Amino acid sequence: MRIIFEKGKQRKFIDLVMLELGCPSLRELINRGIAVDYSSLKNYHTERRCLPENLFKDLCKISGINGDEIIFRKLGDFWGQSKGGRKSRK
């Protein structure tokens, strides 16, 4: 599943996680045990991609943030795949 935030809130969430952990940069966040490539984390930070649910839960757990207080919407497992399939046929 994917987690979708309001515009600008995903970046604020990742910044809050970095603040709670005392990380000065995204690269340092990866060194703290996040199993995500730097380019993917950068895409999540700039809101080009939606966060996966397991990454959202990991970030909440590591930083001690209560995920229930954050407003977000869950998207299905196959969200975006049908549109991508139609575009590749053309």
Side-chain angles (χ1 to χ4, degrees):
M1 298 201 86
R2 294 281 179 170
I3 303 293
I4 188 165
F5 292 87
E6 292 179 14
K7 189 164 178 85
K9 300 290 183 179
Q10 183 170 315
R11 181 181 208 128
K12 288 182 181 181
F13 170 72
I14 295 175
D15 287 339
L16 179 63
V17 169
M18 289 173 36
L19 182 68
E20 291 291 325
L21 293 175
C23 297
S25 66
L26 291 173
R27 288 199 190 272
E28 181 63 31
L29 187 61
I30 293 171
N31 292 338
R32 300 284 173 105
I34 302 297
V36 177
D37 293 336
Y38 174 71
S39 61
S40 296
L41 189 60
K42 195 165 66 169
N43 285 333
Y44 297 141
H45 189 257
T46 58
E47 300 182 356
R48 288 186 191 148
R49 295 173 58 192
C50 300
L51 280 174
E53 185 178 21
N54 59 354
L55 179 61
F56 174 75
K57 288 181 180 179
D58 289 345
L59 290 173
C60 287
K61 185 177 178 182
I62 289 173
S63 63
I65 296 172
N66 187 2
D68 297 332
E69 296 175 356
I70 299 171
I71 299 171
F72 60 87
R73 205 172 41 137
K74 289 185 179 181
L75 301 173
D77 289 330
F78 302 110
W79 178 79
Q81 288 185 358
S82 62
K83 183 177 179 181
R86 284 191 302 246
K87 282 189 168 194
S88 66
R89 280 191 294 190
K90 291 182 180 180

Coordinates of all heavy atoms in Angstrom, one line a residue:
M1 N 0.8 -1.2 0.0 CA 0.0 0.0 0.0 C 0.9 1.2 0.0 O 2.0 1.2 0.5 CB -0.9 0.0 1.2 CG -1.9 -1.1 1.3 SD -3.3 -0.8 2.3 CE -4.3 0.0 1.2
R2 N 0.3 2.3 -0.5 CA 1.0 3.6 -0.6 C 0.3 4.6 0.4 O -0.9 4.5 0.5 CB 1.0 4.1 -2.0 CG 1.8 3.3 -2.9 CD 3.3 3.6 -2.8 NE 4.1 2.8 -3.7 CZ 5.3 3.0 -3.9 NH1 6.0 3.9 -3.2 NH2 6.0 2.2 -4.7
I3 N 1.1 5.5 0.9 CA 0.6 6.5 1.8 C 0.6 7.8 1.0 O 1.7 8.2 0.5 CB 1.4 6.7 3.1 CG1 1.4 5.3 3.8 CG2 0.9 7.8 3.9 CD1 0.1 4.9 4.4
I4 N -0.5 8.6 0.9 CA -0.5 9.8 0.2 C -0.9 10.9 1.2 O -1.8 10.8 2.0 CB -1.4 9.8 -1.0 CG1 -1.3 11.1 -1.8 CG2 -2.8 9.6 -0.6 CD1 -1.8 11.0 -3.2
F5 N -0.1 12.0 1.3 CA -0.3 13.1 2.1 C -0.9 14.3 1.3 O -0.9 14.2 0.1 CB 1.0 13.6 2.7 CG 1.7 12.6 3.7 CD1 2.5 11.6 3.2 CD2 1.5 12.8 5.0 CE1 3.1 10.8 4.1 CE2 2.1 11.9 5.9 CZ 2.9 10.9 5.5
E6 N -1.4 15.3 2.0 CA -1.7 16.5 1.3 C -0.4 17.2 0.8 O 0.7 16.8 1.2 CB -2.4 17.5 2.3 CG -3.7 17.1 2.8 CD -4.3 18.1 3.8 OE1 -3.8 19.2 3.9 OE2 -5.3 17.7 4.5
K7 N -0.6 18.1 -0.2 CA 0.6 18.7 -0.8 C 1.4 19.4 0.2 O 0.9 20.2 1.0 CB 0.1 19.6 -1.9 CG 1.2 20.2 -2.7 CD 0.7 20.8 -4.0 CE 1.8 21.4 -4.8 NZ 2.4 20.4 -5.7
G8 N 2.7 19.1 0.3 CA 3.6 19.7 1.2 C 3.8 19.0 2.5 O 4.8 19.2 3.3
K9 N 2.9 18.1 2.9 CA 2.9 17.4 4.2 C 3.9 16.3 4.2 O 4.4 16.0 5.3 CB 1.5 16.9 4.6 CG 0.5 18.0 4.7 CD 0.7 18.9 5.8 CE -0.4 19.9 5.9 NZ -0.3 20.8 7.0
Q10 N 4.1 15.6 3.1 CA 5.1 14.5 3.1 C 6.5 15.0 3.3 O 7.2 14.4 4.1 CB 5.0 13.8 1.7 CG 5.9 12.6 1.6 CD 5.6 11.8 0.4 OE1 4.5 11.5 0.0 NE2 6.6 11.4 -0.3
R11 N 6.8 16.1 2.8 CA 8.1 16.7 3.0 C 8.3 17.1 4.4 O 9.3 16.9 5.1 CB 8.3 17.9 2.1 CG 9.7 18.6 2.2 CD 9.8 19.8 1.3 NE 11.2 20.0 1.0 CZ 11.7 20.1 -0.2 NH1 10.9 20.1 -1.2 NH2 13.0 20.2 -0.4
K12 N 7.2 17.7 5.0 CA 7.3 18.1 6.4 C 7.4 16.9 7.3 O 8.1 16.9 8.4 CB 6.0 18.9 6.8 CG 6.0 20.3 6.2 CD 4.8 21.1 6.6 CE 4.8 22.5 6.0 NZ 3.7 23.3 6.4
F13 N 6.8 15.8 7.0 CA 6.9 14.5 7.7 C 8.3 14.0 7.8 O 8.8 13.7 8.8 CB 5.9 13.5 7.2 CG 6.1 12.1 7.8 CD1 5.8 11.9 9.1 CD2 6.7 11.1 7.1 CE1 6.0 10.6 9.7 CE2 6.9 9.9 7.6 CZ 6.6 9.6 8.9
I14 N 8.9 14.0 6.6 CA 10.3 13.5 6.5 C 11.3 14.5 7.2 O 12.2 14.0 7.9 CB 10.7 13.3 5.1 CG1 9.9 12.1 4.5 CG2 12.2 12.9 4.9 CD1 10.1 11.9 3.0
D15 N 11.0 15.8 7.1 CA 11.8 16.7 7.9 C 11.7 16.6 9.4 O 12.6 16.7 10.1 CB 11.4 18.2 7.5 CG 11.9 18.5 6.1 OD1 12.9 17.9 5.6 OD2 11.4 19.5 5.5
L16 N 10.4 16.2 9.8 CA 10.2 16.0 11.3 C 10.9 14.8 11.7 O 11.5 14.8 12.8 CB 8.7 15.9 11.5 CG 8.3 15.6 12.9 CD1 8.7 16.8 13.8 CD2 6.8 15.4 13.0
V17 N 10.9 13.7 10.9 CA 11.7 12.5 11.3 C 13.2 12.8 11.4 O 13.8 12.4 12.3 CB 11.4 11.4 10.2 CG1 12.4 10.2 10.4 CG2 10.0 10.9 10.3
M18 N 13.7 13.6 10.4 CA 15.1 14.0 10.5 C 15.4 14.8 11.7 O 16.5 14.6 12.4 CB 15.5 14.7 9.2 CG 15.6 13.8 8.0 SD 15.8 14.6 6.4 CE 16.9 15.9 6.7
L19 N 14.5 15.7 12.1 CA 14.7 16.5 13.3 C 14.7 15.7 14.5 O 15.5 15.9 15.4 CB 13.6 17.6 13.3 CG 13.7 18.6 14.5 CD1 14.9 19.5 14.3 CD2 12.4 19.4 14.6
E20 N 13.8 14.8 14.6 CA 13.7 13.9 15.8 C 14.9 13.0 16.0 O 15.3 12.7 17.1 CB 12.4 13.0 15.8 CG 11.1 13.8 15.9 CD 10.9 14.3 17.3 OE1 11.3 13.7 18.3 OE2 10.3 15.4 17.4
L21 N 15.5 12.6 14.9 CA 16.7 11.7 14.9 C 18.0 12.5 15.0 O 19.0 11.9 15.2 CB 16.7 10.8 13.7 CG 15.6 9.7 13.7 CD1 15.6 9.0 12.4 CD2 15.7 8.8 14.8
G22 N 17.9 13.8 14.7 CA 19.1 14.6 14.7 C 19.9 14.4 13.5 O 21.1 14.6 13.5
C23 N 19.3 14.2 12.4 CA 20.0 14.0 11.1 C 20.1 15.3 10.3 O 19.0 15.9 10.1 CB 19.2 12.9 10.2 SG 19.2 11.3 10.9
P24 N 21.2 15.7 9.9 CA 21.3 16.9 9.2 C 21.0 16.8 7.7 O 20.7 17.8 7.0 CB 22.8 17.3 9.3 CG 23.5 16.0 9.5 CD 22.5 15.1 10.3
S25 N 21.0 15.6 7.2 CA 20.7 15.4 5.7 C 20.0 14.0 5.5 O 19.9 13.2 6.4 CB 22.0 15.4 4.9 OG 22.8 14.3 5.3
L26 N 19.6 13.9 4.2 CA 18.9 12.6 3.9 C 19.9 11.4 3.9 O 19.6 10.3 4.2 CB 18.3 12.7 2.5 CG 17.1 13.7 2.4 CD1 16.7 13.8 0.9 CD2 15.9 13.2 3.2
R27 N 21.2 11.7 3.5 CA 22.2 10.7 3.5 C 22.4 10.1 4.9 O 22.6 8.9 5.1 CB 23.5 11.2 2.9 CG 23.4 11.3 1.4 CD 24.8 11.4 0.8 NE 24.8 11.8 -0.5 CZ 24.6 10.9 -1.6 NH1 24.5 9.7 -1.3 NH2 24.6 11.4 -2.8
E28 N 22.4 11.0 5.9 CA 22.6 10.6 7.3 C 21.4 9.7 7.7 O 21.5 8.8 8.5 CB 22.7 11.8 8.2 CG 23.0 11.5 9.6 CD 24.2 10.7 9.9 OE1 25.2 10.8 9.1 OE2 24.2 9.9 10.9
L29 N 20.2 10.1 7.2 CA 19.0 9.3 7.6 C 19.1 7.8 7.1 O 18.8 6.9 7.8 CB 17.8 9.9 7.0 CG 16.4 9.3 7.3 CD1 16.2 9.4 8.8 CD2 15.3 10.1 6.6
I30 N 19.7 7.6 5.9 CA 20.0 6.3 5.4 C 21.0 5.6 6.3 O 20.9 4.4 6.5 CB 20.5 6.4 3.9 CG1 19.3 6.9 3.0 CG2 21.0 5.0 3.4 CD1 19.8 7.2 1.6
N31 N 22.0 6.3 6.8 CA 23.0 5.7 7.6 C 22.4 5.3 9.0 O 23.0 4.5 9.7 CB 24.2 6.7 7.9 CG 25.0 6.9 6.6 OD1 25.0 6.1 5.7 ND2 25.7 8.0 6.6
R32 N 21.3 5.8 9.4 CA 20.6 5.5 10.6 C 19.8 4.2 10.5 O 19.2 3.8 11.5 CB 19.7 6.6 11.1 CG 20.4 7.9 11.4 CD 21.2 7.9 12.7 NE 21.9 9.1 12.8 CZ 21.6 10.1 13.6 NH1 20.6 10.0 14.4 NH2 22.4 11.1 13.7
G33 N 19.8 3.5 9.4 CA 19.2 2.2 9.3 C 18.0 2.2 8.4 O 17.3 1.2 8.4
I34 N 17.7 3.2 7.6 CA 16.6 3.1 6.7 C 17.1 2.4 5.4 O 18.1 2.8 4.8 CB 16.2 4.6 6.3 CG1 15.7 5.4 7.5 CG2 15.0 4.5 5.2 CD1 14.6 4.8 8.2
A35 N 16.4 1.3 5.0 CA 16.8 0.5 3.9 C 16.2 1.0 2.6 O 15.4 0.3 2.0 CB 16.5 -0.9 4.2
V36 N 16.6 2.2 2.2 CA 16.0 2.8 1.0 C 17.2 3.5 0.3 O 18.1 4.0 0.9 CB 14.9 3.8 1.3 CG1 14.5 4.5 0.0 CG2 13.8 3.2 2.0
D37 N 17.2 3.4 -1.1 CA 18.2 4.1 -1.8 C 18.1 5.6 -1.6 O 17.0 6.1 -1.4 CB 18.1 3.8 -3.3 CG 18.4 2.3 -3.7 OD1 19.1 1.7 -2.9 OD2 17.9 1.9 -4.7
Y38 N 19.2 6.3 -1.8 CA 19.2 7.8 -1.7 C 18.3 8.4 -2.7 O 17.6 9.3 -2.3 CB 20.7 8.3 -1.8 CG 20.7 9.8 -1.7 CD1 20.4 10.5 -0.6 CD2 21.0 10.5 -2.9 CE1 20.5 11.9 -0.5 CE2 21.0 11.9 -2.9 CZ 20.8 12.6 -1.7 OH 20.8 13.9 -1.7
S39 N 18.4 7.9 -3.9 CA 17.5 8.6 -4.9 C 16.0 8.4 -4.7 O 15.2 9.3 -4.9 CB 17.9 8.0 -6.3 OG 17.6 6.6 -6.4
S40 N 15.7 7.2 -4.1 CA 14.3 7.0 -3.8 C 13.9 7.9 -2.6 O 12.8 8.5 -2.6 CB 14.0 5.5 -3.4 OG 14.3 4.7 -4.5
L41 N 14.7 8.0 -1.6 CA 14.4 8.9 -0.5 C 14.3 10.3 -0.9 O 13.4 11.1 -0.4 CB 15.5 8.7 0.6 CG 15.2 9.3 2.0 CD1 13.9 8.8 2.6 CD2 16.3 9.1 2.9
K42 N 15.1 10.7 -1.8 CA 15.1 12.1 -2.3 C 13.8 12.3 -3.1 O 13.1 13.4 -3.0 CB 16.3 12.4 -3.2 CG 16.5 13.8 -3.6 CD 17.9 14.1 -4.1 CE 18.0 13.5 -5.5 NZ 19.2 13.9 -6.2
N43 N 13.3 11.3 -3.8 CA 12.0 11.4 -4.5 C 10.9 11.5 -3.5 O 9.9 12.2 -3.8 CB 11.8 10.2 -5.5 CG 12.6 10.4 -6.7 OD1 13.0 11.5 -7.2 ND2 13.0 9.2 -7.3
Y44 N 10.9 10.8 -2.4 CA 9.9 10.8 -1.4 C 9.9 12.2 -0.8 O 8.9 12.8 -0.5 CB 10.1 9.8 -0.3 CG 10.0 8.4 -0.8 CD1 10.9 7.4 -0.3 CD2 9.0 8.0 -1.8 CE1 10.8 6.1 -0.8 CE2 9.0 6.7 -2.2 CZ 9.8 5.7 -1.7 OH 9.7 4.4 -2.1
H45 N 11.1 12.8 -0.6 CA 11.2 14.1 0.1 C 10.7 15.2 -0.8 O 10.1 16.2 -0.3 CB 12.7 14.3 0.5 CG 12.9 15.5 1.4 ND1 13.4 16.7 0.9 CD2 12.7 15.7 2.7 CE1 13.5 17.6 1.8 NE2 13.0 17.0 2.9
T46 N 10.9 15.1 -2.1 CA 10.5 16.1 -3.0 C 9.0 15.9 -3.5 O 8.5 16.6 -4.3 CB 11.4 16.2 -4.2 OG1 11.4 15.0 -4.9 CG2 12.8 16.7 -3.9
E47 N 8.4 14.8 -2.9 CA 7.0 14.4 -3.2 C 6.8 14.0 -4.6 O 5.7 14.2 -5.2 CB 6.1 15.5 -2.8 CG 6.2 15.8 -1.3 CD 5.2 16.9 -0.8 OE1 4.5 17.5 -1.7 OE2 5.2 17.1 0.4
R48 N 7.8 13.5 -5.3 CA 7.6 12.9 -6.6 C 6.9 11.6 -6.6 O 6.3 11.1 -7.5 CB 8.9 12.8 -7.4 CG 9.5 14.1 -7.8 CD 10.7 13.9 -8.6 NE 11.4 15.2 -8.8 CZ 12.7 15.4 -8.9 NH1 13.5 14.3 -8.9 NH2 13.2 16.6 -9.0
R49 N 7.2 10.9 -5.5 CA 6.6 9.5 -5.3 C 5.9 9.5 -3.9 O 6.3 10.2 -3.0 CB 7.7 8.5 -5.3 CG 8.4 8.4 -6.7 CD 9.5 7.5 -6.7 NE 9.2 6.1 -6.2 CZ 10.1 5.2 -5.9 NH1 11.4 5.5 -6.0 NH2 9.8 4.0 -5.6
C50 N 4.9 8.6 -3.8 CA 4.2 8.4 -2.5 C 5.0 7.4 -1.7 O 5.7 6.5 -2.2 CB 2.8 7.8 -2.8 SG 1.8 8.9 -3.8
L51 N 4.9 7.6 -0.4 CA 5.6 6.7 0.6 C 5.0 5.3 0.6 O 3.8 5.2 0.7 CB 5.6 7.3 2.0 CG 6.6 8.4 2.3 CD1 6.2 8.9 3.7 CD2 8.0 7.9 2.3
P52 N 5.8 4.3 0.6 CA 5.2 2.9 0.9 C 4.8 2.8 2.4 O 5.4 3.5 3.2 CB 6.4 2.0 0.6 CG 7.4 2.8 -0.1 CD 7.2 4.2 0.2
E53 N 3.8 2.1 2.6 CA 3.3 2.0 4.0 C 4.4 1.4 5.0 O 4.5 1.9 6.1 CB 2.1 1.1 4.0 CG 1.4 1.0 5.4 CD 0.2 0.2 5.4 OE1 0.0 -0.7 4.5 OE2 -0.7 0.4 6.3
N54 N 5.1 0.4 4.5 CA 6.2 -0.1 5.4 C 7.2 0.9 5.8 O 7.7 0.9 6.9 CB 6.7 -1.4 4.9 CG 7.4 -1.2 3.5 OD1 7.3 -0.2 2.9 ND2 8.0 -2.3 3.0
L55 N 7.6 1.7 4.8 CA 8.6 2.8 5.1 C 8.0 3.8 6.0 O 8.7 4.3 7.0 CB 9.1 3.5 3.8 CG 10.1 4.6 3.9 CD1 11.3 4.1 4.6 CD2 10.4 5.2 2.6
F56 N 6.7 4.2 5.9 CA 6.1 5.1 6.8 C 6.1 4.6 8.2 O 6.4 5.3 9.1 CB 4.6 5.4 6.3 CG 3.8 6.2 7.2 CD1 4.0 7.6 7.3 CD2 2.8 5.6 8.0 CE1 3.2 8.3 8.1 CE2 2.1 6.4 8.8 CZ 2.3 7.7 8.9
K57 N 5.8 3.3 8.3 CA 5.7 2.7 9.7 C 7.1 2.7 10.3 O 7.3 2.9 11.5 CB 5.1 1.3 9.6 CG 3.6 1.3 9.4 CD 3.1 -0.1 9.4 CE 1.6 -0.1 9.1 NZ 1.0 -1.4 9.1
D58 N 8.1 2.3 9.5 CA 9.5 2.3 9.9 C 10.0 3.7 10.4 O 10.6 3.8 11.5 CB 10.5 1.8 8.9 CG 10.3 0.3 8.6 OD1 9.7 -0.4 9.4 OD2 10.8 -0.2 7.6
L59 N 9.7 4.7 9.6 CA 10.1 6.1 10.0 C 9.4 6.5 11.3 O 10.0 7.1 12.1 CB 9.8 7.0 8.9 CG 10.6 6.9 7.6 CD1 10.1 7.8 6.5 CD2 12.0 7.2 7.9
C60 N 8.1 6.2 11.4 CA 7.4 6.5 12.7 C 8.0 5.8 13.9 O 8.2 6.4 14.9 CB 5.9 6.2 12.6 SG 5.0 7.3 11.5
K61 N 8.3 4.5 13.7 CA 8.9 3.7 14.8 C 10.3 4.2 15.2 O 10.5 4.3 16.4 CB 8.9 2.2 14.3 CG 9.4 1.3 15.4 CD 9.3 -0.1 14.9 CE 9.8 -1.1 15.9 NZ 9.8 -2.5 15.4
I62 N 11.1 4.5 14.2 CA 12.5 4.9 14.6 C 12.5 6.2 15.2 O 13.2 6.5 16.2 CB 13.3 4.9 13.3 CG1 13.6 3.5 12.8 CG2 14.7 5.6 13.5 CD1 14.3 3.4 11.5
S63 N 11.6 7.2 14.8 CA 11.7 8.5 15.3 C 10.8 8.7 16.5 O 10.9 9.7 17.2 CB 11.3 9.5 14.2 OG 9.9 9.3 13.8
G64 N 9.9 7.8 16.8 CA 9.0 7.9 17.9 C 7.8 8.8 17.7 O 7.1 9.2 18.6
I65 N 7.5 9.0 16.4 CA 6.3 9.8 16.0 C 5.1 8.9 16.0 O 5.1 7.8 15.5 CB 6.5 10.4 14.6 CG1 7.7 11.4 14.7 CG2 5.2 11.1 14.2 CD1 8.1 11.9 13.3
N66 N 4.0 9.4 16.6 CA 2.7 8.6 16.6 C 2.1 8.8 15.2 O 1.6 9.9 14.8 CB 1.8 9.1 17.7 CG 0.5 8.3 17.8 OD1 0.4 7.3 17.1 ND2 -0.3 8.7 18.7
G67 N 2.0 7.7 14.4 CA 1.5 7.8 13.1 C 0.0 8.0 13.0 O -0.6 8.4 12.0
D68 N -0.7 7.7 14.1 CA -2.2 7.9 14.2 C -2.6 9.4 14.2 O -3.7 9.7 13.8 CB -2.8 7.2 15.4 CG -2.5 5.7 15.4 OD1 -2.5 5.1 14.2 OD2 -2.5 5.1 16.4
E69 N -1.7 10.2 14.6 CA -2.0 11.7 14.6 C -1.8 12.4 13.3 O -2.2 13.5 13.2 CB -1.1 12.3 15.7 CG -1.4 11.8 17.1 CD -0.4 12.4 18.1 OE1 0.5 13.2 17.7 OE2 -0.6 12.1 19.3
I70 N -1.2 11.7 12.4 CA -0.9 12.3 11.1 C -2.0 12.0 10.1 O -2.5 10.9 10.0 CB 0.5 11.7 10.5 CG1 1.6 12.1 11.5 CG2 0.8 12.3 9.1 CD1 2.9 11.4 11.2
I71 N -2.4 13.0 9.4 CA -3.5 12.9 8.4 C -2.9 12.4 7.1 O -2.1 13.1 6.5 CB -4.3 14.2 8.2 CG1 -4.9 14.6 9.6 CG2 -5.4 14.1 7.2 CD1 -5.5 16.0 9.6
F72 N -3.4 11.3 6.6 CA -3.0 10.7 5.3 C -4.1 9.9 4.7 O -5.1 9.6 5.4 CB -1.7 10.0 5.4 CG -1.7 8.8 6.4 CD1 -2.2 7.6 5.9 CD2 -1.4 8.9 7.7 CE1 -2.2 6.5 6.8 CE2 -1.4 7.9 8.6 CZ -1.9 6.6 8.1
R73 N -3.9 9.4 3.5 CA -4.8 8.5 2.8 C -4.0 7.3 2.3 O -2.9 7.5 1.9 CB -5.4 9.3 1.7 CG -6.8 8.8 1.2 CD -7.4 9.7 0.2 NE -6.4 10.2 -0.7 CZ -6.6 10.3 -2.0 NH1 -7.7 10.0 -2.5 NH2 -5.6 10.8 -2.8
K74 N -4.6 6.1 2.4 CA -4.0 4.9 1.9 C -4.5 4.6 0.5 O -5.7 4.7 0.2 CB -4.3 3.7 2.8 CG -3.6 3.8 4.1 CD -3.8 2.5 4.9 CE -3.1 2.6 6.2 NZ -3.3 1.4 7.0
L75 N -3.6 4.3 -0.4 CA -3.9 3.9 -1.8 C -3.7 2.4 -1.9 O -2.9 1.8 -1.2 CB -3.0 4.6 -2.8 CG -3.1 6.2 -2.7 CD1 -2.1 6.8 -3.6 CD2 -4.5 6.6 -3.1
G76 N -4.4 1.8 -2.8 CA -4.3 0.3 -3.0 C -2.9 -0.2 -3.5 O -2.1 0.6 -3.9
D77 N -2.8 -1.5 -3.4 CA -1.5 -2.1 -3.8 C -1.2 -1.9 -5.3 O 0.0 -1.7 -5.7 CB -1.5 -3.6 -3.5 CG -1.4 -3.9 -2.0 OD1 -0.9 -3.1 -1.3 OD2 -2.0 -4.9 -1.6
F78 N -2.2 -1.8 -6.1 CA -2.0 -1.7 -7.6 C -2.2 -0.3 -8.1 O -2.5 -0.1 -9.3 CB -2.8 -2.7 -8.3 CG -2.6 -4.1 -7.8 CD1 -3.5 -4.8 -7.1 CD2 -1.4 -4.7 -8.2 CE1 -3.2 -6.1 -6.7 CE2 -1.1 -6.0 -7.7 CZ -2.0 -6.7 -7.0
W79 N -2.2 0.7 -7.2 CA -2.4 2.0 -7.6 C -1.4 2.5 -8.6 O -0.2 2.3 -8.4 CB -2.4 3.0 -6.4 CG -2.6 4.4 -6.7 CD1 -3.8 5.0 -7.0 CD2 -1.6 5.4 -6.8 NE1 -3.6 6.3 -7.2 CE2 -2.2 6.6 -7.1 CE3 -0.2 5.4 -6.7 CZ2 -1.5 7.8 -7.3 CZ3 0.5 6.6 -6.9 CH2 -0.2 7.7 -7.2
G80 N -1.8 3.0 -9.7 CA -0.9 3.6 -10.8 C -0.5 2.6 -11.8 O 0.0 3.0 -12.8
Q81 N -0.7 1.3 -11.6 CA -0.3 0.3 -12.5 C -1.1 0.3 -13.8 O -0.6 0.0 -14.9 CB -0.2 -1.1 -11.9 CG 0.9 -1.2 -10.9 CD 1.0 -2.6 -10.4 OE1 0.2 -3.5 -10.7 NE2 2.0 -2.8 -9.6
S82 N -2.4 0.5 -13.7 CA -3.3 0.4 -14.9 C -3.0 1.6 -15.8 O -3.0 1.4 -17.0 CB -4.8 0.4 -14.5 OG -5.1 1.6 -13.8
K83 N -2.8 2.7 -15.3 CA -2.4 3.9 -16.1 C -1.1 3.7 -16.8 O -0.9 4.0 -17.9 CB -2.4 5.1 -15.2 CG -2.1 6.4 -16.0 CD -2.2 7.6 -15.1 CE -1.9 8.9 -15.9 NZ -1.9 10.1 -15.0
G84 N -0.1 3.1 -16.0 CA 1.2 2.8 -16.6 C 1.1 1.8 -17.7 O 1.8 1.9 -18.7
G85 N 0.2 0.8 -17.6 CA 0.1 -0.2 -18.6 C -0.6 0.4 -19.9 O -0.2 0.0 -21.0
R86 N -1.5 1.3 -19.7 CA -2.1 1.9 -20.9 C -1.1 2.8 -21.6 O -1.1 2.9 -22.8 CB -3.4 2.7 -20.5 CG -4.6 1.9 -20.1 CD -5.8 2.8 -20.0 NE -5.6 3.8 -18.9 CZ -6.2 3.8 -17.8 NH1 -7.2 3.0 -17.5 NH2 -6.0 4.8 -16.9
K87 N -0.3 3.5 -20.9 CA 0.7 4.4 -21.5 C 1.7 3.6 -22.3 O 2.2 4.1 -23.3 CB 1.3 5.3 -20.5 CG 0.5 6.4 -20.0 CD 1.3 7.4 -19.2 CE 0.5 8.7 -19.0 NZ 1.3 9.7 -18.5
S88 N 2.1 2.5 -21.8 CA 3.2 1.7 -22.4 C 2.7 1.0 -23.7 O 3.5 0.7 -24.6 CB 3.8 0.7 -21.5 OG 2.8 -0.3 -21.2
R89 N 1.4 0.8 -23.9 CA 0.9 0.2 -25.1 C 0.9 1.1 -26.3 O 0.9 0.7 -27.4 CB -0.6 -0.2 -24.9 CG -0.7 -1.5 -24.2 CD -2.1 -2.0 -24.2 NE -2.9 -1.1 -23.5 CZ -4.2 -1.3 -23.2 NH1 -4.8 -2.4 -23.6 NH2 -4.9 -0.4 -22.6
K90 N 0.9 2.4 -26.1 CA 0.8 3.4 -27.2 C 2.1 3.5 -27.9 O 3.2 3.4 -27.6 CB 0.4 4.8 -26.6 CG -1.0 4.8 -26.2 CD -1.4 6.1 -25.7 CE -2.9 6.1 -25.2 NZ -3.3 7.4 -24.8

